[in-house]
Amino acid sequence: MNKNEKKFYIKTWGCQINEYDSLMIANTLIQNTSYIQTNNFFEAEILILNTCSIREKAQEKLFHQLGRWKNLKNQNKNIIIAVGGCVANQEGKKIIKRANFVDIVFGTQTLHRLPNMIAKKIQKNKIFIDISFPKMEKFKNMIQPVCDNYSISIPIMEGCNKYCSFCIVPYTRGKEISRPFHDIINHITILSQKGVKEVQLLGQNVNSYKSIDTDNKKYTFSKLLRSIARIPNIERIRFITSHPMNFTDDIISVYQDVPQVVSFLHLPIQSGSNKILKLMKRPYSIEKYKVIIQKLKIARPNIQISSDFIVGFPGETEYDFENTMNIIKEINFDMSFSFIYSPRPGTPASKLQDTVNIIEKKKRLQILQKQIKKQTLYWNKKMIHSMQKILVHQTIKQQKNYYIGTTENHRSVFFYNEKNVLGKIITVKITKKKNNIFQGQCI
């Protein structure tokens, strides 16, 4: 590598969509500038922070990181610092006001404009802020990453129209925009020809996807799933995240007809109390959620479900929490993402009186996570001696003919095979679990 080459560094916080956005940023810069990417921020002339606003004190985390980078800029005035992602959309000019050494603030929908902002910054030495929400522009300017894996995530929509009272996403990601149907199909077709076997569809509410083509033909999420399943070599389809309100019967029927859709679903419920769901502005009831799960289990008897939970939401009583624990046990969730409620600035819930003290919140979270852990253990034990289809994605360099693959329910399996099975989906018999990995025997 040429020592004179200029480099950029990206630090990413947040979900898989943020991870994908960082991949897009990297590809856009490589394609449109002379900069190359580095994993060492000390080498970089451009420092990019792609932020997330979901967790508590996201802003403080941002400014702590910027403080560390300020020292680098004091040593080299030519360093450009750019802040993007959800906190950038949320805070905008406030970032520059508090950290005047930041050069660029870009939004979740304007990351493709970053090369132009950098060029103008170098030419004019001005601060640039662009946190607008241009419709479809991001998708139209998407530069696809080089495929070096058998499983890949792709965005199919962005934004959210639900406005849950606790959530900042509609304000930082904008309203729902669906990527054109044929763009998605063409993208996945190209990936399948390069060896991809599994795709994961990304979006804040993937099952609210809808696209209308030039002939006025409408495509729903269920139609998209069925069309992807018809692409040669695509053997697995995942998606994240879904909303119960949009989990309609046409999507459930896909589980009955389309084996490529995995037998694992992440469907956030947030609380087991109808009262709390109403305060959260989650427009479904526990009864409706249970009906969805019942229908899914009829369509796909072996399906496993994971979910999200917020503990200690304003107004949550001990009785409300008991209802959450009851639904956890009844549905027998396999895994969960669970958090203590903390107010996000600017959301309706931040105006509610926080009635649960932090000690009680931590206690409830511990009880919930202990139960989920118990249920994960149940599902793990159930896998022993079962037959599992795994996507083989890794070889063990130190051990010849040993491989690692992933099951539909996100478990890693270590096994031996004399033939080269890298990149294939094969059936193994699970023999035991050791530490955090299962061991299997090829069938």
Side-chain angles (χ1 to χ4, degrees):
M1 189 179 287
N2 189 340
K3 289 184 179 180
N4 295 322
E5 284 179 318
K6 292 187 175 182
K7 299 165 188 172
F8 67 88
Y9 170 83
I10 304 174
K11 188 174 187 66
T12 309
W13 293 327
C15 64
Q16 288 165 300
I17 295 172
N18 273 39
E19 294 286 351
Y20 191 90
D21 281 351
S22 289
L23 203 56
M24 269 190 67
I25 293 167
N27 280 287
T28 301
L29 291 177
I30 291 167
Q31 197 103 342
N32 294 293
T33 72
S34 59
Y35 290 85
I36 62 170
Q37 190 169 10
T38 178
N39 292 321
N40 183 356
F41 62 86
F42 285 110
E43 300 177 343
E45 284 82 9
I46 300 175
L47 299 171
I48 301 165
L49 187 55
N50 189 13
T51 61
C52 172
S53 59
I54 296 295
R55 298 294 180 87
E56 188 179 8
K57 298 180 181 176
Q59 298 95 316
E60 294 308 310
K61 187 179 178 182
L62 162 67
F63 290 112
H64 282 312
Q65 181 61 50
L66 290 176
R68 290 189 283 270
W69 283 357
K70 182 182 180 182
N71 296 328
L72 295 174
K73 189 153 184 173
N74 287 338
Q75 297 167 29
N76 180 1
K77 299 295 182 186
N78 293 322
I79 285 177
I80 293 172
I81 297 178
V83 178
C86 294
V87 179
N89 273 99
Q90 183 182 321
E91 297 298 303
K93 292 179 181 178
K94 293 178 186 176
I95 293 172
I96 304 295
K97 193 173 182 180
R98 186 166 164 183
N100 60 7
F101 53 89
V102 171
D103 303 286
I104 295 169
V105 178
F106 63 98
T108 55
Q109 298 294 319
T110 55
L111 54 87
H112 57 282
R113 297 177 180 176
L114 190 55
N116 191 41
M117 291 187 228
I118 290 168
K120 286 183 177 178
K121 168 64 189 172
I122 293 169
Q123 291 166 10
K124 300 180 179 180
N125 196 29
K126 288 183 179 179
I127 291 169
F128 287 89
I129 301 172
D130 188 349
I131 53 172
S132 58
F133 291 96
K135 281 187 177 181
M136 301 307 297
E137 192 180 304
K138 177 180 174 181
F139 286 138
K140 287 177 182 176
N141 288 275
M142 192 176 283
I143 295 175
Q144 305 309 339
V146 175
C147 178
D148 59 356
N149 207 338
Y150 306 106
S151 174
I152 198 162
S153 298
I154 67 163
I156 65 165
M157 58 86 67
E158 180 129 8
C160 182
N161 296 345
K162 298 296 184 290
Y163 290 91
C164 300
S165 67
F166 57 84
C167 187
I168 197 72
V169 166
Y171 309 97
T172 59
R173 288 275 174 181
K175 291 184 178 181
E176 289 175 2
I177 302 170
S178 292
R179 190 176 172 190
F181 172 82
H182 293 294
D183 283 3
I184 298 169
I185 297 300
N186 291 339
H187 183 185
I188 296 174
T189 300
I190 292 168
L191 291 173
S192 71
Q193 293 165 354
K194 294 181 178 180
V196 167
K197 296 286 172 56
E198 175 183 273
V199 291
Q200 176 162 253
L201 310 177
L202 299 178
Q204 275 73 34
N205 284 316
V206 287
N207 51 338
S208 66
Y209 174 89
K210 51 183 177 293
S211 175
I212 302 175
D213 69 10
T214 51
D215 296 326
N216 215 31
K217 189 174 181 181
K218 296 179 181 179
Y219 294 95
T220 60
F221 185 56
S222 61
K223 286 181 180 178
L224 178 65
L225 290 174
R226 290 178 185 276
S227 298
I228 293 171
R230 287 193 287 269
I231 298 173
N233 301 323
I234 296 299
E235 299 183 49
R236 265 194 199 171
I237 304 168
R238 301 183 185 275
F239 53 86
I240 192 168
T241 295
S242 301
H243 194 290
M245 272 307 292
N246 298 110
F247 218 94
T248 46
D249 288 346
D250 60 315
I251 298 172
I252 293 170
S253 68
V254 171
Y255 282 87
Q256 195 160 0
D257 307 333
V258 183
Q260 288 93 333
V261 175
V262 298
S263 297
F264 190 93
L265 172 66
H266 185 74
L267 189 61
I269 189 172
Q270 304 299 356
S271 172
S273 162
N274 283 333
K275 182 192 87 178
I276 297 300
L277 289 178
K278 194 171 181 180
L279 287 170
M280 289 179 169
K281 294 191 176 176
R282 301 282 286 182
Y284 56 87
S285 65
I286 296 304
E287 292 72 26
K288 179 176 173 58
Y289 187 94
K290 284 159 69 171
V291 167
I292 294 169
I293 300 300
Q294 287 162 7
K295 288 179 178 179
L296 277 165
K297 288 184 176 180
I298 292 169
R300 189 73 67 86
N302 62 332
I303 195 166
Q304 289 171 237
I305 312 292
S306 65
S307 198
D308 291 349
F309 296 94
I310 295 174
V311 173
F313 192 81
E316 183 187 79
T317 62
E318 188 65 41
Y319 177 70
D320 296 319
F321 178 68
E322 283 176 14
N323 284 334
T324 297
M325 293 306 299
N326 290 338
I327 197 76
I328 286 172
K329 293 170 187 174
E330 183 178 343
I331 291 176
N332 200 8
F333 291 106
D334 178 18
M335 303 174 186
S336 79
F337 296 102
S338 49
F339 312 98
I340 287 173
Y341 170 76
S342 59
R344 302 267 64 79
T347 60
S350 65
K351 298 173 184 176
L352 297 174
Q353 185 181 356
D354 199 346
T355 55
V356 189
N357 66 61
I358 189 63
I359 295 172
E360 182 62 25
K361 287 180 182 179
K362 288 181 178 179
K363 177 187 167 187
R364 291 177 188 179
L365 183 67
Q366 191 175 26
I367 292 168
L368 187 152
Q369 290 181 338
K370 185 178 179 181
Q371 180 61 35
I372 293 287
K373 191 174 180 181
K374 183 180 176 182
Q375 290 173 195
T376 303
L377 187 63
Y378 162 84
W379 288 108
N380 285 345
K381 286 181 177 178
K382 199 173 179 183
M383 288 180 66
I384 306 299
H385 306 307
S386 71
M387 301 295 182
Q388 297 286 331
K389 286 186 176 181
I390 62 169
L391 172 57
V392 186
H393 57 81
Q394 185 181 340
T395 57
I396 308 298
K397 291 180 181 178
Q398 299 84 357
Q399 295 176 277
K400 189 179 178 183
N401 296 333
Y402 278 91
Y403 298 86
I404 292 177
T406 306
T407 63
E408 291 190 18
N409 61 349
H410 295 291
R411 267 67 169 186
S412 293
V413 181
F414 171 79
F415 67 98
Y416 172 86
N417 197 315
E418 290 184 1
K419 294 180 181 178
N420 183 2
V421 289
L422 196 62
K424 299 182 185 301
I425 290 182
I426 64 170
T427 301
V428 299
K429 182 180 181 180
I430 305 298
T431 55
K432 62 180 177 179
K433 184 175 183 289
K434 189 175 182 181
N435 300 324
N436 291 321
I437 195 166
F438 287 87
Q439 292 186 12
Q441 184 178 10
C442 283
I443 302 302

